[in-house]
Each structure stands twice: as C-alpha cells, then as structure tokens.
Amino acid sequence: MSETAAFEPRVVGFLCTWCSYAGADKAGAAQLPSPDNFLPIRVMCSGRVEPEFIIRAYTEGADGVLVLACHPGDCHYKEGNSRALQRNRLLRKLLDSFGIEPERCRLDYVSAGEPEKFTRVVSETVEAVRRLGPLRLSREGGLNDGSNDA
Amino acid sequence: MMIGVFLCTCGTAIAERIDVERLAAAVGRLPDVAWCRTVGFLCSEAEKERMEGVLRDEAPDRVVVAACSPREHEATFMGVMEKAGLNPYLLQMVNIREQVAWITPEISRATRKAESLLAGAVARVRRHAPLETKRVEAVPDVLVVGGGPAGIKAAIELAEAGRRVVLVERSAVIGGLPVRFEEVAPGMECGPCMLEPLLGELLHGRLAERIEILTMAEVTGAVGYCGNFTVTIGVRGRGVDRACIGCGECAAACPATAANPYDYGLGTRKAIDFPFPGALPNLPYLDAATCRRAAGEECRACKDACHLGEETVRFDEPVTTVERSVGAVVIATGGEPIDAVRFPALRYGEIPGVYTSVEFERLLSSSGPTGGKLATAGGREPESVAIVHCVGSRDPAHRDYCSGVCCAYALKFGHIVASRFPGASMHHVYRELNLPGKGGAALLRRGGEKSFFHRYRMPDGISLSPGAGGRITVTSDTGQDGITADIVVLCPAIVPAEGTAGLAKIFDTPLDHLGFFEELHGTTDTARGKVKGIYLAGSCREPGDIRQAMLGGSAAAAAIHADIPEGKELEISPVCAVTDRERCAGCGICVSLCPYRAAALVPDGKAEVNQLLCHGCGSCAAGCPGGAISVGYFTREAILAELEGILR
C-alpha cells in the first residue's frame, strides 16, 4: 500500500463508560458522521487505562491512541480522570523521548452531553495522526529508523 | 471453546448501514466462533425468548452480542444469559449501532469497522470468566453525629422503629444549645422542660437500650458507603464512671476552679463538676487541665469524697477509640454564632456589659452562672437593654444570608426582660425584622410598652462606646439620638459549627459555598446529603430554629427508612478489584490511588481490596507497578485481547 497516497490511520480509543462512552453514543443517536478509523474500547474509568494498554496499541498496529475521560471534577469515581491525566502527561514525555510524537497519545474530556465534541475530538485526532503518517516500530518494539522497514 | 454470536440488525437501523451478510460471514471465520445468528430485534420479547432457548440448547461457552450500545442493553442480555443458566459475565457486547452504523456514512467502511470491533469482542470474550454477584445485608444501625435537637430527634425516631443508634456528641452534654436556654421562642416554653423528657427517653427510657450515647466523643474516621460504613470514634475520658449517681460531692470537694466553657466563661466550674446544673447525662466530668494533679500535686479530694468509692473517679483516663458498623449516618452537628470580635465597632470583649446572644441566654437561665439573676456590670438592676440584630448576617463582608432565628430570640429576650424588670426599656436596633411562621408576629407584642425599635441602614452602621456611669452608648448610622443601655446583646450570624469541614472530609461529603453541608437537592431533598448514606438534619445544613431541627431529625430518620429498610440487601458487583497476593510487593501505591479507601495494606504487608468498598474503577490496577491487581470483567487480559482483536 502506498502510505503517502492513501494512508488510513488506525486510532484506538479508550472511553470511560459514564461520560465519554455516553457522549459517543449520543453522537451516534444524533448521526454525526465520524471517521471510521476510530476504534473504541469501553472501560469503566479513564483511570483504568494502563500505560501498557497504550504501548500495546502501538505495537499491535495502532497509529494513535485517544483516551476520553469525564471532565475534571465530574469523574464518576471522583478522581480517576486526574489519574489518567497524570499518566498521560508522563507517558507523552516518555514516548517523545523514544521518538513517538506525543500527538499520537491524546487525552481529552467528553461529557455525556457533548456528542459534537466527541465527533470533533475524534476527527481532530485522526487527522493529526494522518498528518504524522504511519507509526513505524521496529520488530524489537522500538522506533524504526527506517533501515529495517517491514 | 465455543463462542456464539448474535448479530442484531435493529430492524433496519443497522441493516441499512452495515452489510450484515458480509459481517456475519466474517464473524463466522473468527476462531472459536461456533455460530453467528442474525436477528431482527434481539431486544424484543419474542427474540429474547428465542435467544434464551438457543443459549439453553447450544450452551455456548461464551456469547457475543453485536447490537446497540451496552449502555442500552447489556443488562438486558445479561439477564437473558442468567435465565438460560449461563453466567452473565460470559457476555461481551459490541456497539455496532451508535458507534458504527449511525456515524459511518459509507457501508463498506462501516462493515469493515464492525468486523474489527467484532474481532476484538470475540478475542476478548474468550478471556472472560464467570463472576458472581455477592449479596450482603445492609447494616440497619445508624450513626447520629451531634446530640442537639436534630440529632436527638433522629435518634429517637430511629430507635422507635427498632433501629440501633450510636449517638456521638462532642460536648459532655446532650440536648444542644436549647437545654441551656431559659425559655424558647416563639411559645416561651422552658427549654430544659421541653427537652428533658426527650433526653430522659434517650438515657433511661424504653428506647435507651437501642441508643448508645457517646459524649465527649468525636468521629475520627469513616470508610464505606450507604448500607455499610465503618466509623471510628475517639472518646475522651470523662474521668467519671457511668455508675456515678450525680450527687456532686466530688465537685464540692474539688479545690480547683476554672472558667466554665458551658457558660462561655461567664461563670466557673470545678475541675470535676457538672457542665451546669441539670445537664444530662447527670455526670460530672474531670477537666484534667484544671485539676491540681496537672500541676504535680497529689490531690485526691474528689476520690475521697465519692460515696461510691474511689474507683468511680479516674485520673488520667485516656482517649479510647471505638469502631462501629452502621448503614447510615445522620449529620446533625448544628451551627454556632460567628465570633463577635470580628466586629471591632461593637467592642465585644472590651466594654463590660456587651454580650453575645448565647451568653445572654446563660445570664437569663436559672442554670446559668448567675442563677438567672441579671445585673449590670456595676451590679445594678438593668434599666435599659439594647439588642443589636444582624451582627454579621445579611452582611456581604461577613455572611450574606439571614440567620433566620435571631429576630425571634431577640424578641424573646425583650419578653423575658420586660417580665423580670417591668420598668426597664428594651431597644431593638435592627435593619429588617424577619418573623415568619405561626408564632412570629405575636412575638412583636411580647415586649410590652417599653419596647422600642430603632432602624439602622448599613451592616456596619452600629458602633458601641462606653458612656457615663458604666452605661453603653449605641450610635447608629441613621443619625438618631444615641441609645444608652446598661446591657447590649449582640445577635451574631449563625455559622457552621467548628469542626464541620473536618467532618465533611471524614465522610467525603461536600459543603456548600457557605460552609454548611450540601443537601442532595436544596429544595426537594434537604434531608439527604450529597453522598448516599449521609443524611443531614438541623443547622449543619442551614441555620434554623429548634422546630426546624426537630423536623430535620424526623425527616432524616424517615429518609433512612425509605432508603435502607431493615433487611435490605446490598449487591457487591464482581466488577471490582482483586489483588494477587503472590505478585503484590506491598508498595501501597494502590492505597494512595483508591478514591474509596477500599485498598489497604493488611498486617502482613500485602495489599487487599475490600469488595464492599470497591467501586470497580480500576485506578489501582492501572497504577500497580507489579500488575498485581485485576478488575473483574475489565481484566488486563481481556482488554489487551480486545485491543489485539480490533487491530488484527
């Protein structure tokens, strides 16, 4: 496949069931078109998302990951979203140091009443990842320098 | 492994947007998928019945339902699983309606996305394990924090209905403020006479065996949730055994004296003494700081004086911590007057004869420091008393609300002064009068002919200064002639009781912007707190009078009966965290991450999660560096399998 001509990124989403997943469902009910490149996984809380899940998404072929949480202060579990934010900040730094653009690891907030925001954030993320191009990891799981492209 | 897949077309809602045939064929090729059935409306009664039959006949190991959002029908299909004799947690739903069909304009793309999500679900469901929902009975017992009118009313009503109640009171006395008042508005009933029968009921009546009263006690910790709280209570040593008959010989013999906090320091008490005459429970308490022994003396006058034997009095009694299990908590900690020294122009504490309302109550009370004898600072009978209303209330610089009780008690003061000193004049210095309710307006007539009303304008429009002959001059911003009074009573705004913020933290329940406990709803649900299982009564949620406090106590009790009837079962969802003791290194990160205090290090240093307290968010599992915590239904293996499946 010619990556430059028709690169279709794959973005994995981790959506907390209380706010963001509900917001995504509302976007569905409102029939707001959304890129099919986004593959949602439902979790109880954004705080459940282990950094390992995100790394594994990359090694399994995702080009980007989007964690969607309740708005600050609205977490169903009081503070899971702030844990998710802390982890996201740390992970983005770490990814950056390995040459993986932090834009491939986004965290945002979508409430149950924000279907438009859901659609916008998903579209933005997919487009941002599309601009970055495919994420190329070496077979060992590190960043590919281009010399051993699969 | 045999996986059965139901593919719901939702009528045309899914069928028109996804190539269902192609999807079914793709699903059929996934590993372990034994069959894939396409159904019109799987949530219809007929199809649910058919689904149940299929599940019985085929007895698949795992089930995937591709349909609408799990938020819509996961519970529905879990119910069908259960009816068919399968564990409901062996189900995984795929949302191909809201999150595929309805948002993906092109059929081919929608179909491809649905294939990915189904592949994820099939991969994931293989990792599901049967889980069990446990049920435990809710604890019917109730903790009441605060022994004032609201708390005692709640305790009595709950005990009346057979509940066991733990009543925790910070002071040495139950009954709250009104047991220290001579008369109470609007009916001018004697406060102690009105309350003592209720207090007697608590202490010695037929309800007493169901009510545990802990005085000089404070809640120090709480974990749990509605139906199951574990509360720790610190009980300060009273220094006097409960066997005490309250004869008072110890107090008579005690040589040490200090200011009595129950009289706001206007009178004194012995180191071992009653808070005030008639205080209940009828037990003195030993103030170790005042006791001669604190200064190193070997005094034992109280022990020697006790008719019951020296063991009845205990020196150096430590704070004991007790733990109680309750299903609900009534917070009834009340309010208190704002500190009058915050109003420099009123010179409280500087000019003799200027008192706060609660001090004045004690001066009027026959159980007070003067035995109810009111005199000027110079010892004369008062000829003129001025009452300054709204001190700090309706004042943007202090409290912008009306405290709601002051006008009524101020007019009560007028009534008492007029009846005791018919010649004395009474001056109400006020901005607005607020006398709602049946008895409110009648209070205006209680003051008699020598009652005068002087209006002032601004919150800081009053200043007090010492006048001739030990009298006090009240100057107002209306420029009227100064009022001269022998005694000036300030009506300070009612603010949340000291310790309110700490208690809110212990129970993890929010306060409103004024610092009072926040109700579930300020208009329609004021007896319930924001957190399930926490109930509010009395002035801890809003300044109110005795009637409102009593009503609040009854309402809290009623709400508890409605929410947690005796025998109510609590479901413990298996979607909760479990630790693997082998892998746990005891670092305690989970303990710091858990928002519900469910994770704790047990004595052997390993972490354990209390399933009753766990809400299943999984924050601990995500933070555990050893991967030693798993969350039911959202295990690491399941989520990673789903991830691999959708990206395959």
Side-chain angles (χ1 to χ4, degrees):
Chain A
M1 185 171 74
S2 164
E3 282 165 350
T4 46
F7 167 55
E8 285 297 341
R10 289 196 294 175
V11 175
V12 168
F14 290 100
L15 282 64
C16 85
T17 193
W18 304 102
C19 287
S20 310
Y21 201 87
D25 278 354
K26 285 229 175 74
Q31 313 234 344
L32 304 174
S34 188
D36 59 290
N37 315 57
F38 180 70
L39 301 166
I41 291 178
R42 184 172 72 110
V43 287
M44 294 306 281
C45 178
S46 56
R48 172 71 187 96
V49 180
E50 301 179 23
E52 188 194 339
F53 296 174
I54 296 170
I55 306 284
R56 190 72 78 87
Y58 299 136
T59 61
E60 293 297 325
D63 302 292
V65 172
L66 174 60
V67 176
L68 292 179
C70 301
H71 280 270
D74 289 349
C75 179
H76 183 80
Y77 302 105
K78 299 188 206 176
E79 55 194 32
N81 54 356
S82 60
R83 303 294 184 212
L85 177 66
Q86 289 165 341
R87 290 183 189 127
N88 181 262
R89 283 183 177 152
L90 201 62
L91 186 61
R92 281 163 66 99
K93 274 187 191 163
L94 202 68
L95 292 173
D96 202 20
S97 70
F98 281 94
I100 298 177
E101 300 86 343
E103 292 82 357
R104 294 188 192 271
C105 179
R106 177 171 177 181
L107 178 133
D108 214 317
Y109 308 104
V110 171
S111 80
E114 293 179 323
E116 291 86 4
K117 186 177 180 191
F118 167 77
T119 305
R120 176 172 62 76
V121 170
V122 167
S123 303
E124 279 174 11
T125 308
V126 168
E127 287 321 303
V129 173
R130 194 192 302 278
R131 278 194 300 275
L132 291 172
L135 174 67
R136 285 183 288 187
L137 303 171
S138 74
R139 286 194 189 84
E140 290 73 39
L143 179 70
N144 187 349
D145 60 7
S147 61
N148 58 347
D149 200 356
Chain B
M1 177 162 301
M2 177 177 147
I3 301 173
V5 180
F6 291 92
L7 199 57
C8 178
T9 64
C10 195
T12 56
I14 291 171
E16 275 186 349
R17 314 285 193 92
I18 287 175
D19 184 341
V20 175
E21 239 171 77
R22 204 183 103 187
L23 180 60
V27 170
R29 288 191 295 272
L30 291 169
D32 292 336
V33 172
W35 43 262
C36 176
R37 284 164 201 265
T38 305
V39 181
F41 284 106
L42 192 60
C43 62
S44 67
E45 289 307 315
E47 287 299 342
K48 279 192 291 182
E49 244 175 69
R50 200 164 300 150
M51 177 181 175
E52 189 189 326
V54 169
L55 295 177
R56 276 189 195 286
D57 296 343
E58 310 267 352
D61 300 305
R62 302 286 188 274
V63 177
V64 170
V65 172
C68 54
S69 173
R71 296 180 70 256
E72 184 131 354
H73 276 309
E74 187 177 66
T76 307
F77 300 127
M78 279 186 162
V80 177
M81 298 271 291
E82 262 189 309
K83 272 180 138 181
L86 299 179
N87 187 284
Y89 292 94
L90 299 178
L91 170 80
Q92 175 68 16
M93 271 191 85
V94 191
N95 184 350
I96 58 167
R97 191 180 70 175
E98 281 86 346
Q99 297 192 22
V100 182
W102 283 352
I103 60 169
T104 315
E106 270 181 59
I107 285 191
S108 62
R109 284 175 171 262
T111 308
R112 204 174 57 209
K113 180 173 174 181
E115 280 174 24
S116 296
L117 297 186
L118 261 146
V122 167
R124 173 184 183 141
V125 81
R126 302 167 84 246
R127 305 287 189 149
H128 282 197
L131 301 171
E132 205 187 318
T133 300
K134 290 183 202 147
R135 286 180 175 80
V136 293
E137 215 166 272
V139 181
D141 302 357
V142 179
L143 170 75
V144 176
V145 190
I152 59 175
K153 188 66 173 175
I156 286 172
E157 303 248 339
L158 288 160
E160 193 72 70
R163 301 295 183 103
R164 302 195 70 83
V165 176
V166 183
L167 178 66
V168 171
E169 165 57 43
R170 180 165 59 185
S171 78
V173 185
I174 58 169
L177 291 176
V179 285
R180 298 176 226 179
F181 300 169
E182 187 70 5
E183 290 175 7
V184 296
M188 302 307 164
E189 270 181 87
C190 153
C193 313
M194 184 176 76
L195 287 167
E196 272 166 16
L198 295 177
L199 303 177
E201 190 69 57
L202 289 173
L203 290 162
H204 314 293
R206 65 200 160 78
L207 303 177
E209 63 173 20
R210 287 199 285 277
I211 302 175
E212 178 185 22
I213 300 175
L214 300 170
T215 52
M216 301 180 68
E218 284 178 69
V219 175
T220 53
V223 288
Y225 67 103
C226 183
N228 196 305
F229 291 99
T230 302
V231 183
T232 47
I233 302 153
V235 186
R236 300 192 299 285
R238 194 173 185 110
V240 174
D241 193 90
R242 288 221 164 201
C244 166
I245 55 165
C247 70
E249 291 293 342
C250 54
C254 177
T257 300
N260 183 2
Y262 293 90
D263 289 333
Y264 305 97
L266 296 173
T268 57
R269 68 182 288 282
K270 297 292 188 62
I272 187 164
D273 204 343
F274 301 97
F276 51 86
L280 292 175
N282 184 27
L283 297 170
Y285 72 92
L286 174 63
D287 173 19
T290 304
C291 178
R292 287 275 164 91
R293 300 177 68 86
E297 284 182 38
E298 272 305 311
C299 179
R300 45 171 290 137
C302 50
K303 273 183 181 283
D304 294 340
C306 184
H307 296 308
L308 293 179
E310 60 173 88
E311 293 310 309
T312 311
V313 180
R314 299 189 200 109
F315 298 137
D316 309 317
E317 200 173 22
V319 174
T320 50
T321 299
V322 298
E323 200 176 273
R324 295 288 180 271
S325 241
V326 294
V329 177
V330 178
I331 297 179
T333 46
E336 63 185 28
I338 194 170
D339 191 350
V341 299
R342 293 188 185 200
F343 307 88
L346 302 179
R347 312 215 12 215
Y348 169 74
E350 288 177 49
I351 306 175
V354 178
Y355 300 107
T356 65
S357 55
V358 283
E359 288 171 345
F360 197 60
E361 295 276 11
R362 294 306 291 148
L363 292 174
L364 294 176
S365 168
S366 47
S367 75
T370 58
K373 197 171 170 300
L374 188 63
T376 67
R380 293 179 287 107
E381 276 197 2
E383 288 166 22
S384 167
V385 175
I387 301 189
V388 182
H389 294 229
C390 291
V391 174
S393 293
R394 300 175 51 253
D395 178 349
H398 295 278
R399 300 288 161 148
D400 66 358
Y401 53 83
C402 167
S403 292
V405 296
C406 327
C407 287
Y409 73 62
L411 290 166
K412 171 190 80 175
F413 289 157
H415 165 81
I416 297 174
V417 170
S419 59
R420 292 195 193 170
F421 309 102
S425 58
M426 191 78 196
H427 299 274
H428 289 279
V429 186
Y430 77 105
R431 276 185 288 145
E432 301 285 349
L433 287 179
N434 174 22
L435 294 161
K438 287 195 282 194
L443 282 167
L444 283 169
R445 298 190 291 274
R446 291 268 194 179
E449 286 173 9
K450 302 210 71 176
S451 186
F452 305 99
F453 290 84
H454 312 267
R455 199 161 189 175
Y456 68 102
R457 289 200 189 98
M458 303 305 286
D460 58 354
I462 295 295
S463 58
L464 303 184
S465 52
R471 309 188 86 192
I472 304 155
T473 303
V474 183
T475 310
S476 99
D477 60 0
T478 50
Q480 288 176 346
D481 292 344
I483 303 152
T484 308
D486 295 315
I487 289 172
V488 175
V489 182
L490 309 177
C491 302
I494 307 296
V495 298
E498 191 192 338
T500 295
L503 195 64
K505 211 168 173 197
I506 287 171
F507 287 111
D508 225 348
T509 190
L511 301 177
D512 61 22
H513 68 290
L514 300 167
F516 292 97
F517 281 97
E518 189 175 359
E519 304 99 332
L520 182 57
H521 188 283
T523 305
T524 64
D525 223 332
T526 56
R528 291 177 175 86
K530 275 278 180 197
V531 170
K532 259 178 106 176
I534 305 290
Y535 299 82
L536 309 175
S539 296
C540 72
R541 42 161 290 267
E542 181 176 48
D545 61 14
I546 304 163
R547 286 177 300 177
Q548 288 160 332
M550 291 282 177
L551 193 61
S554 294
I560 289 169
H561 291 313
D563 296 347
I564 316 164
E566 254 182 286
K568 183 188 168 106
E569 281 198 333
L570 304 173
E571 283 193 357
I572 306 174
S573 166
V575 182
C576 67
V578 181
T579 53
D580 177 347
R581 295 180 58 83
E582 296 288 298
R583 299 183 78 162
C584 175
C587 69
I589 286 177
C590 54
V591 180
S592 66
L593 287 174
C594 179
Y596 301 101
R597 294 177 258 191
L601 294 178
V602 294
D604 71 354
K606 305 276 185 181
E608 267 182 18
V609 178
N610 181 329
Q611 297 200 353
L612 272 169
L613 305 182
C614 177
H615 287 227
C617 67
S619 240
C620 57
C624 176
I629 306 181
S630 188
V631 183
Y633 204 46
F634 288 89
T635 60
R636 178 174 299 110
E637 295 70 27
I639 293 171
L640 289 177
E642 180 174 357
L643 186 63
E644 285 169 25
I646 62 174
L647 290 169
R648 121 211 103 97

